[in-house]
Every structure is written in C-alpha cells, then in structure tokens.
Amino acid sequence: MSDFEITERAPIPTDRRLRIAEVREVQMVSPHMKRITVGSSALEGFPVKRPAQWVKLFVPVADSERSSGRAYTIRYFYENDAEMDIDFVLHGDGPCSTWAERAKPGDVIQMAGPRGGYRYDESAEHLLIGGDETALPAIGAILEDLPETAKVTAFLEVPEDSDKQQIITKASADIHWISRKGAPIGSSRELQDAMMTTDLSKENGQVWFSAEAGVVRDVRRHFVADCGFDRSRVIAAGYWKKGETDFKDPDS
C-alpha cells in the first residue's frame, strides 16, 4: 500500500478559469476610448447572461513585472462568433491601458469570468444612473438592454465633448453628458451634484452609480443615509481610487 494519500483536487470554478483569446479588431470609439474585439474557441459557450458583466484581464507585461489582472466590463458579446468587445479608457498609465494603446490583431491575452452584471428591477418606476468614463461601458450596456417600460435619467461624465458616444436604448431615457473640458478625472463635483440633486422616490426609484471611490461613497451615503433608500435600491461601486492601483471597492 502506498504511503501517499491521493485526494481529488476541486475543479476550478467556471468564472475563475483562465481562457486565452486573441485580438481580432481594434477601433477608436472616441479620443479617450478604444474598443478591442477579442475572440477564440475558448469563448464558445461563455456564460454572458446580463449587461455590465465583467471579466478579469491579464495582459502581457515586461519580464521584470508581475502580471496582474484588472476588471473590465464586457461591452458586447457575440455568442455566434465567440467574440466580445471590451472598451478601454486610454489614460496613459496602468498595464491594461498601456497594452490597449499598442494592441493590434493577433495579440494574445488571458481572461477569467464573467462575474457581476446588472439586473433591472421591474418594480422600479425610475432608474437614476451615472458615472465617469470608466463606467461608460457598463452604463452603455445597461441602457441598451433596458425595456421600453423603463424610465431613466442618466448623467455621464467624459473628458471632452468629443468623447460623447451614441447610445441607443428602447427605454424612455433622459441622457445628460457632462464634459470636464480637459480637466483631470475626479477634479469636478458636477457629476455627483447632478446625481444628488435629482428628485427620486425612495419607494420606487433605483440608483446605479460608479466613479472614483470617494465620489461613490458620497453619492451612496446621500441616498441611503440622507434620503432613506433601502440599500438594495442603491447599486454603487468605486471603479477606481485616487492614488491607488488595482483598487477593489469593499463596499460594492
């Protein structure tokens, strides 16, 4: 009899299994947003079920650097082609943004997921949605998925007027674009002030918001603590935080 006990290793969860994909196409959506289409047979049957789901991307880095995953929203998923679009904000630093600036067809990445996503609350009579450019892929996916019965007010912050995008939605949507006119991201209060001064019922309203972590904290506190919203009706997550890399919002 062997002295070693053989144990079965637990299978890797589907959303944590690394899949290899290659770049199929690149295009500029706006001066600060680049859309990269990736695909492979590994994405066949990829379980994308709702808008704003995200994947963790691992991109090639220099030999002296340790590869680190970053979360990115799936903008579109093409099930029949086993391809997806991912929109990257080109902000000049960070491994994924740097990689995206140089990406070309044939480049290879790894990804795990999908996770998260947005479920529309059909009992909500009014959806208030907002975010800066880091949240724009998720917001676009959500707006385009909403039914005709949805009533939406949206505040979308972008670096310049030229960064506004066309978003087609069946919902009754009042979309407001907020341009920083070249000012740094996180330097203006206009986005959070717009969210916090919108008249929204705590009984039948819903909030979805994402931006810098401190801004998100203020908006979340306003609706939950000041306005008395049930926490389940306020979906708010910090996508990034000033002075930190690879930030993960503990409150999301």
Side-chain angles (χ1 to χ4, degrees):
M1 180 179 294
S2 171
D3 292 332
F4 297 96
E5 181 180 353
I6 299 176
T7 58
E8 292 187 3
R9 179 174 296 179
I12 299 174
T14 301
D15 65 355
R16 295 182 180 273
R17 178 158 54 93
L18 282 178
R19 304 167 191 255
I20 298 175
E22 69 171 11
V23 175
R24 300 279 173 82
E25 185 180 351
V26 299
Q27 60 175 312
M28 295 300 298
V29 178
S30 73
H32 294 91
M33 185 81 75
K34 190 172 189 177
R35 178 165 297 163
I36 299 182
T37 304
V38 299
S40 78
S41 59
L43 298 184
E44 294 177 358
F46 202 56
V48 178
K49 304 298 183 184
R50 51 187 180 270
Q53 284 187 279
W54 54 271
V55 292
K56 199 159 192 178
L57 296 184
F58 297 85
V59 301
V61 295
D63 293 340
S64 59
E65 299 178 12
R66 182 174 178 270
S67 178
S68 178
R70 297 289 190 274
Y72 277 85
T73 301
I74 301 168
R75 186 61 179 86
Y76 297 105
F77 181 65
Y78 309 100
E79 185 175 4
N80 292 338
D81 299 320
E83 294 182 344
M84 71 174 65
D85 289 341
I86 300 175
D87 290 354
F88 293 79
V89 178
L90 303 181
H91 46 71
D93 60 358
C96 286
S97 179
T98 300
W99 173 84
E101 289 182 354
R102 305 169 183 169
K104 61 186 184 304
D107 288 350
V108 174
I109 62 171
Q110 292 180 308
M111 69 174 66
R115 301 182 195 174
Y118 171 77
R119 293 183 185 276
Y120 174 61
D121 182 355
E122 295 185 358
S123 70
E125 296 181 5
H126 190 180
L127 170 63
L128 174 62
I129 190 169
D132 60 23
E133 60 263 38
T134 66
L136 194 52
I139 293 173
I142 291 171
L143 289 175
E144 292 172 356
D145 190 71
L146 289 173
E148 294 180 1
T149 54
K151 178 185 177 182
V152 189
T153 301
F155 295 101
L156 313 180
E157 181 184 293
V158 289
E160 304 275 4
D161 288 331
S162 56
D163 288 299
K164 298 175 183 178
Q165 300 181 17
Q166 182 181 27
I167 298 176
I168 300 173
T169 178
K170 298 188 293 290
S172 175
D174 187 12
I175 300 176
H176 304 269
W177 292 92
I178 299 171
S179 171
R180 294 193 304 274
K181 309 292 185 183
I185 187 171
S187 62
S188 169
R189 282 191 53 92
E190 188 172 355
L191 173 62
Q192 67 198 83
D193 287 347
M195 294 288 294
M196 293 163 59
T197 55
T198 298
D199 186 20
L200 193 68
S201 168
K202 67 179 180 180
E203 283 79 23
N204 52 35
Q206 184 183 38
V207 178
W208 190 103
F209 184 67
S210 186
E212 196 275 332
V215 175
V216 169
R217 183 184 61 247
D218 290 345
V219 170
R220 183 193 295 121
R221 182 188 301 120
H222 168 77
F223 285 103
V224 176
D226 300 340
C227 298
F229 274 66
D230 187 281
R231 182 66 180 83
S232 65
R233 287 192 172 273
V234 181
I235 305 165
Y239 273 12
W240 62 282
K241 185 175 182 179
K242 288 182 180 179
E244 291 191 23
T245 59
D246 195 21
F247 171 73
K248 299 178 181 63
D249 190 344
D251 296 320
S252 63

